[in-house]
Amino acid sequence: MARFDSNSLRPNAIANWLLTVAALVFLMVVVGGITRLTESGLSITEWKPISGTLPPLSAVEWVAAFDAYKQIPQFAAHNADMTLGGFKTIFFWEYSHRLLGRLLGFAFAVPLIWFAAKRAIPKGYGWRLVALLALGGFQGAIGWWMVASGLIARTEVSHFRLAVHLIAALTIMGGLIWTALDLKALYRDPNARPARLVGLAIAAIVIVTIQIMFGAFTSGLRAGAVASSWPLMNDHFFPEGVTWLRPVWETFAYDPYLIHFTHRWWAWVVVAVLVMLARGVKRAGVRPASIAIHASFGTQILLGIATVMSGVALPLAALHQAVGAIVVAATVWGAHVIGRGKAAS
């Protein structure tokens, strides 16, 4: 049986830590999706990275927080009859989302400092871990930038900023998984080189990212509710009600009918490229990754149809976003498998 000294075990320990942080990012994406679906994201009207760690602790503080919410357009437009109890419900989701963000920062920064102090980080990986930490910190600023878009002239956050926030979160999760897989390979073989992003993998990641963007647009504009039938949209393949704008690209960015249509049919482009990716992964001899890709996109397609036909029921919509994140994780795994083969050749 092979014996490993403490130095050889370090890449595996770091990889396991990164996968744990990736799981926390996944949880944050799920809670963020519920926060959006329950329209809770504007319930906290200030960004206090330190003092905001604690929620209101007294009746006076709760009333003050509710009064601040009453000053934004969303309250007058949609929640004028809301009680303090109702406010506490939406506050819970936004507060949980922000608290998870703080926990994530702690769970990443403290072990990173410890590993660095112990000189346990393998050569070439320090800059990557610092970049991921910086991106995580920047994500907090992106989150507030998104929230701020709904506090003055709008009754909801900008769907463009929502898309940036979601894609950034999934980019961080993907980077954590990719780096962990590189370190797992290094643990198995001290001479292993980092995987490379190659043609098919790049295409898969780009196509999946476009689908995530349209998913965020669909959520941000409540476009999922414009049709509750499948495969037709209100008895038509191409929906009636599209308002064509000039330039045409603005229609894809603003019209809920066209955004919904694009999101539901671009999914099949995603399926096609992921089937090709899964086949390449299987040829590389990593069948579990191939199964993960097929299972995740298959489940996601079914959940997407169910979400539409339910009229965007909260549990189904939240599961749809959660499995979307799993699709990203499986895609990154598959891309890494192919990239490992190229790195070794």
Side-chain angles (χ1 to χ4, degrees), residues 198-220:
V198 295
L200 177 59
I202 294 172
I205 289 171
V206 169
I207 288 170
V208 169
T209 300
I210 292 171
Q211 180 69 343
I212 291 167
M213 180 188 72
F214 276 106
F217 287 1
T218 299
S219 177

Side-chain angles (χ1 to χ4, degrees), residues 133-149:
L133 178 64
L135 185 56
F138 187 53
Q139 173 71 335
I142 293 173
W144 175 247
W145 174 65
M146 178 189 70
V147 169
S149 68

Side-chain angles (χ1 to χ4, degrees), residues 238-314:
F238 188 84
E240 292 185 331
V242 174
T243 301
W244 292 99
L245 304 173
R246 292 186 179 181
V248 173
W249 71 263
E250 289 193 359
T251 313
F252 285 91
Y254 289 101
D255 186 85
Y257 287 93
L258 187 59
I259 287 170
H260 183 144
F261 175 83
T262 304
H263 186 54
R264 67 162 61 186
W265 294 111
W266 187 259
W268 299 103
V269 180
V270 174
V271 167
V273 73
L274 290 185
V275 166
M276 290 188 288
L277 180 66
R279 288 179 176 175
V281 168
K282 189 175 180 180
R283 286 194 297 270
V286 187
R287 192 165 181 267
S290 176
I291 293 172
I293 293 169
H294 280 107
S296 61
F297 77 65
T299 303
Q300 182 70 335
I301 289 290
L302 294 175
L303 277 172
I305 294 169
T307 299
V308 165
M309 297 186 72
S310 71
V312 195
L314 175 60

Side-chain angles (χ1 to χ4, degrees), residues 11-196:
N12 196 50
I14 296 173
N16 290 336
W17 157 59
L18 292 177
L19 291 175
T20 300
V21 176
L24 286 173
V25 175
F26 169 78
L27 179 60
M28 192 166 181
V29 168
V30 173
V31 173
I34 296 173
T35 301
R36 174 67 195 99
L37 290 164
T38 56
E39 300 186 3
S40 303
L42 299 179
S43 58
I44 302 178
T45 59
E46 297 177 297
W47 189 33
K48 298 179 178 179
I50 306 301
S51 60
T53 302
L54 294 176
L57 299 175
S58 67
V60 171
E61 289 178 347
W62 274 113
V63 169
F66 190 23
D67 285 343
Y69 176 65
K70 290 178 180 178
Q71 304 307 309
I72 68 172
Q74 187 186 78
F75 175 80
H78 301 298
N79 294 321
D81 59 348
M82 177 177 280
T83 64
L84 180 59
F87 172 71
K88 288 181 177 180
T89 299
I90 64 171
F91 185 97
F92 167 79
W93 288 112
E94 175 63 7
Y95 174 75
S96 298
H97 188 55
R98 296 192 187 194
L99 187 63
L100 269 173
R102 293 179 173 92
L103 175 62
L104 260 169
F106 183 84
F108 198 113
V110 173
L112 176 58
I113 293 170
W114 188 88
F115 282 122
K118 293 291 184 178
R119 299 185 182 277
I121 300 173
K123 184 178 180 180
Y125 286 87
W127 69 268
R128 204 190 302 189
L129 296 177
V130 170
L132 285 168
L133 178 64
L135 185 56
F138 187 53
Q139 173 71 335
I142 293 173
W144 175 247
W145 174 65
M146 178 189 70
V147 169
S149 68
L151 296 179
I152 299 176
R154 302 170 60 98
T155 61
E156 72 288 312
V157 300
S158 162
H159 61 291
F160 297 117
R161 299 187 188 188
L162 175 66
V164 172
H165 191 49
L166 177 59
I167 291 170
L170 294 174
T171 299
I172 293 169
M173 187 185 76
L176 290 166
I177 293 171
W178 186 282
T179 304
L181 292 172
D182 272 347
L183 288 165
K184 288 282 186 182
L186 188 64
Y187 166 66
R188 292 188 297 268
D189 176 7
N191 296 316
R193 290 182 291 176
R196 293 160 41 194

